[in-house]
Amino acid sequence: MSSWFQVFSKTSAYLLGLVWVLPLLYAFWAAFHPPEYATQFSLTAPLTMENFASAWEQAPFFRYMLNTIVITTLILVSQLFLCTLAGYALAREKFAGRGFAFALVLTQLMVMPEVLIVENYRTLAGLELVDTYLGVGLPYLASAFGIFLLRQTFKTVPQELEDAARVEGLSGLGIIWKVFVPLAFPTYLAFSLVSVSYHWNNFLWPLVVTNTEASRPLTVGMAIFGAPESGVDWSVISAGTLIAIGPLLILFLIFQKRFIQSFMHAGIK
Amino acid sequence: MFSRFNLKAWLLLLPALSFLIAFTHWPTLKTIWRSFTWAKSDVAPSQFVGVENYQILVDDPIFWKVIENNFWYALGTVPTSIALAIIMALWVNSKIHCTSLLRLAFFTPTILPMITVANIWLFFYSPNIGLFNQLLGLVGIEGPNWLGDPDIALSSLMVMTVWKEAGFFMIFYLAALQTLSPDLFDAAKLEGASTWRIFRKITFPLLMPTTLFVLINAILNAFKLVDHLFILTKGGPNNESNLLLYYIYETAFSFLDSYYAATLTVVMLATLALIALVQIFVLDRRIHYR
């Protein structure tokens, strides 16, 4: 292999890496400098926290963030619980109709609720759950992806272990809780991270089903905040963007190895 | 024993299945039914109108525009994202310096919300002060109106999509690369095979299952992910960058025509079903879910 090729390859790798973080770098630049430096780059530009203050004043970020946290948690807790039960049934129970039930689950991997916004909105309106946490979460309380992942994992648990637990006097839910859940810990972690980052970032369905600050998550809030009609300048939008992505970004940077491994783990299944 | 009704299993499945059915299968059926009905207003009772909505669909130039756009959008984003993802994974998996930093850089867009990063890209793309045109200005080129020019708007969306997705797909390739035996590559190097030849004859064929998996997901995303349209172009100018799901949203929630929106949704569902069938019968032959 020619060294010329290696140098070229390395240089392109670093260049592309730089291009990939450019939007984030720009957001940091604009957020920490006065608005007049938003479009011109100078090493002598003074630093300021002013943009964060005015972003914080112009939009109820605290409320948005609270909403996002509540909605994401509600969805995750429900998914972990319901997918465990369904995943166990599909992996370990023999019954007529199992193939059919599994096919129903696999269908939802293809057709996700956001494609069906029209009908799902009608359902939610019928239940009078528009603009509530439960309304935003309801279509996602069970996850086909979660069921699928846990089913694959539960299948690998040796039968002897389950039998032994039964001899010990455990039964039904006890076996799931004491034997299967601990053994599937990496899968739970992987699924949780994928689910949290999906729902933290979800936009279309929350946009449709929320009307007010009472339930609006960060993504929808940011869309309104950043809209050109609102007349907010780049620096303040950048500051708002950093506020919005901050918690997830910090979590990601701390646990990035786990994060990436989890996405890999979830992808291989 | 196998045919016995297993109450315990169904009780375990019931909660999860009821949610899936209530928000996926049942609304799918209702959407199909609604596409054959019509009503003067939302409160008026709907009546069966046969294929009338579909006749409107066939005569709707925006519908055809949106389908065409979505086709080009998929064609423009999917192969590019996959090619970049493979290259990124090879880099990150190689012995160059700072691979973990590179991996972090490539992966970061994946965890950021599309809607907030679109705000930043909006600045990159703005006509006069935007970063791209400032950079072009440095070398004396007058940059285009990235989002306002009907010929370029869709391509500008594609660029951002590739940026957002390539790092996500990289992860799957990285996972696959790490399962490949290094002996294979050492042997090939001993034989004096060139880098390109090793990639073409060994790495790429071995990555095929991953490529198929990523391909399906990338195509699905090309239809399901329209968040950035809300910030960058709103489908404009003049629907030149409009995509099917965004048009469904507009029809249902801006034009308040849920019957025509249902008809459009049926087209979307048919597309997803087609992709699923291709996956099951053409691509998935070798993968079995035991």
Side-chain angles (χ1 to χ4, degrees):
Chain A
M1 192 189 346
S2 65
S3 62
W4 178 86
F5 175 78
Q6 266 184 328
V7 171
F8 173 75
S9 166
K10 263 188 205 177
T11 319
S12 334
Y14 297 134
L15 269 181
L16 199 71
L18 190 68
V19 170
W20 244 241
V21 292
L22 200 61
L24 207 54
L25 289 184
Y26 170 74
F28 274 98
W29 170 271
F32 285 103
H33 292 101
E36 54 271 29
Y37 289 95
T39 57
Q40 49 174 316
F41 306 96
S42 144
L43 286 173
T44 57
L47 293 168
T48 175
M49 293 297 284
E50 204 54 36
N51 300 317
F52 287 93
S54 53
W56 193 261
E57 257 167 41
Q58 287 176 39
F61 280 102
F62 185 75
R63 181 73 208 202
Y64 289 158
M65 191 140 355
L66 179 75
N67 293 344
T68 293
I69 291 170
V70 172
I71 292 164
T72 314
T73 313
L74 170 78
I75 292 174
L76 181 65
V77 169
S78 162
Q79 281 180 341
L80 290 178
F81 182 64
L82 298 185
C83 296
T84 302
L85 300 184
Y88 175 83
L90 288 173
R92 311 297 293 204
E93 295 283 333
K94 290 193 170 80
F95 57 99
R98 186 173 68 175
F100 176 68
F102 190 46
L104 283 181
V105 172
L106 289 180
T107 320
Q108 207 244 1
L109 283 179
M110 275 289 167
V111 183
M112 297 180 81
E114 46 264 40
V115 176
L116 296 158
I117 43 174
V118 183
E119 286 305 325
N120 282 341
Y121 181 78
R122 286 182 162 251
T123 308
L124 261 283
L127 294 169
E128 294 185 0
L129 284 173
V130 171
D131 209 23
T132 62
Y133 291 145
L134 191 58
V136 182
L138 210 53
Y140 298 100
L141 291 189
S143 155
F145 182 58
I147 296 174
F148 180 73
L149 277 185
L150 286 170
R151 171 189 179 269
Q152 301 303 94
T153 311
F154 289 162
K155 265 192 169 300
T156 62
V157 174
Q159 185 62 41
E160 295 82 52
L161 225 57
E162 194 174 350
D163 295 342
R166 204 155 271 145
V167 172
E168 295 279 322
L170 282 176
S171 72
L173 295 177
I175 291 177
I176 300 180
W177 180 243
K178 293 252 169 67
V179 179
F180 283 86
V181 172
L183 284 173
F185 181 74
T187 304
Y188 280 105
L189 186 72
F191 173 72
S192 303
L193 289 176
V194 172
S195 169
V196 166
S197 58
Y198 185 89
H199 292 287
W200 191 281
N201 297 342
N202 201 12
F203 173 70
L204 190 56
W205 173 248
L207 172 75
V208 166
V209 81
T210 60
N211 303 322
T212 66
E213 276 169 32
S215 66
R216 199 175 273 154
L218 269 172
T219 46
V220 181
M222 278 308 292
I224 296 166
F225 177 69
E229 303 89 82
S230 63
V232 181
D233 65 47
W234 294 114
S235 311
V236 178
I237 289 178
S238 295
T241 303
L242 290 186
I243 296 175
I245 62 180
L248 201 63
L249 194 65
I250 290 167
L251 265 183
F252 169 66
L253 289 176
I254 297 172
F255 299 109
Q256 60 134 324
K257 255 209 154 103
R258 266 263 68 116
F259 243 95
I260 294 176
Q261 273 165 2
S262 292
F263 272 80
M264 279 158 88
H265 182 85
I268 295 170
K269 290 283 163 179
Chain B
M1 179 189 154
F2 204 82
S3 62
R4 200 187 51 167
F5 179 71
N6 185 334
L7 181 67
K8 181 186 160 203
W10 283 108
L11 281 180
L12 289 170
L13 272 171
L14 190 70
L17 267 191
S18 8
F19 277 113
L20 293 186
I21 291 171
F23 291 99
T24 306
H25 307 89
W26 179 239
T28 300
L29 296 178
K30 277 208 309 195
T31 301
I32 296 171
W33 168 249
R34 194 177 300 281
S35 74
F36 293 106
T37 63
W38 194 76
K40 272 200 208 78
S41 75
D42 243 22
V43 280
S46 59
Q47 57 191 47
F48 186 78
V49 292
V51 294
E52 213 169 277
N53 288 323
Y54 290 91
Q55 274 159 357
I56 299 173
L57 182 94
V58 172
D59 293 332
D60 176 9
I62 301 176
F63 167 71
W64 291 110
K65 184 77 218 167
V66 165
I67 292 293
E68 191 195 326
N69 285 345
N70 231 319
F71 172 78
W72 289 117
Y73 180 75
L75 203 69
T77 55
V78 175
T80 327
S81 309
I82 292 180
L84 268 177
I86 294 178
I87 296 172
M88 287 170 169
L90 288 172
W91 277 334
V92 170
N93 200 43
S94 70
K95 289 185 188 107
I96 61 177
H97 293 292
C98 314
T99 47
S100 59
L101 215 59
L102 263 186
R103 188 182 63 182
L104 184 65
F106 292 147
F107 187 70
T108 304
T110 301
I111 60 139
L112 303 177
M114 192 73 153
I115 205 81
T116 50
V117 288
N119 276 325
I120 304 172
W121 278 79
L122 184 63
F123 165 70
F124 283 9
Y125 281 141
S126 22
N128 297 314
I129 51 161
L131 186 74
F132 289 162
N133 284 356
Q134 278 200 50
L135 288 175
L136 286 174
L138 289 180
V139 288
I141 302 170
E142 195 181 329
N145 186 348
W146 299 96
L147 300 170
D149 185 333
D151 296 331
I152 308 178
L154 189 63
S155 314
S156 302
L157 290 182
M158 291 184 203
V159 171
M160 187 194 155
T161 308
V162 170
W163 170 80
K164 183 84 170 75
E165 292 200 316
F168 179 53
F169 298 144
M170 170 194 76
I171 291 298
F172 300 112
Y173 281 109
L174 203 51
L177 279 176
Q178 287 174 358
T179 64
L180 301 184
S181 157
D183 300 349
L184 218 56
F185 300 98
D186 292 342
K189 264 181 216 146
L190 275 181
E191 297 282 324
S194 71
T195 311
W196 170 242
R197 207 176 147 74
I198 293 176
F199 175 75
R200 204 166 52 95
K201 294 282 183 191
I202 303 176
T203 321
F204 190 69
L206 286 173
L207 290 176
M208 215 48 193
T210 312
T211 302
L212 298 181
F213 171 81
V214 169
L215 181 70
I216 292 292
N217 278 290
I219 297 175
L220 285 176
N221 274 353
F223 285 92
K224 290 203 285 209
L225 202 64
V226 295
D227 294 2
H228 48 328
L229 268 69
F230 285 86
I231 298 285
L232 292 180
T233 65
K234 298 199 172 12
N238 198 13
N239 291 308
E240 286 298 329
S241 69
N242 207 346
L243 299 174
L244 184 55
L245 186 54
Y246 190 83
Y247 188 42
I248 292 174
Y249 169 83
E250 275 187 314
T251 308
F253 298 100
S254 302
F255 315 146
L256 300 174
D257 186 348
S258 59
Y259 298 93
Y260 190 51
T263 316
L264 291 167
T265 307
V266 171
V267 176
M268 174 67 109
L269 291 169
T271 313
L272 296 180
L274 190 73
I275 298 169
L277 288 177
V278 170
Q279 180 185 22
I280 293 165
F281 291 107
V282 185
L283 304 178
D284 244 8
R285 280 265 161 92
R286 291 181 307 150
I287 307 167
H288 297 289
Y289 300 123
R290 212 159 42 90

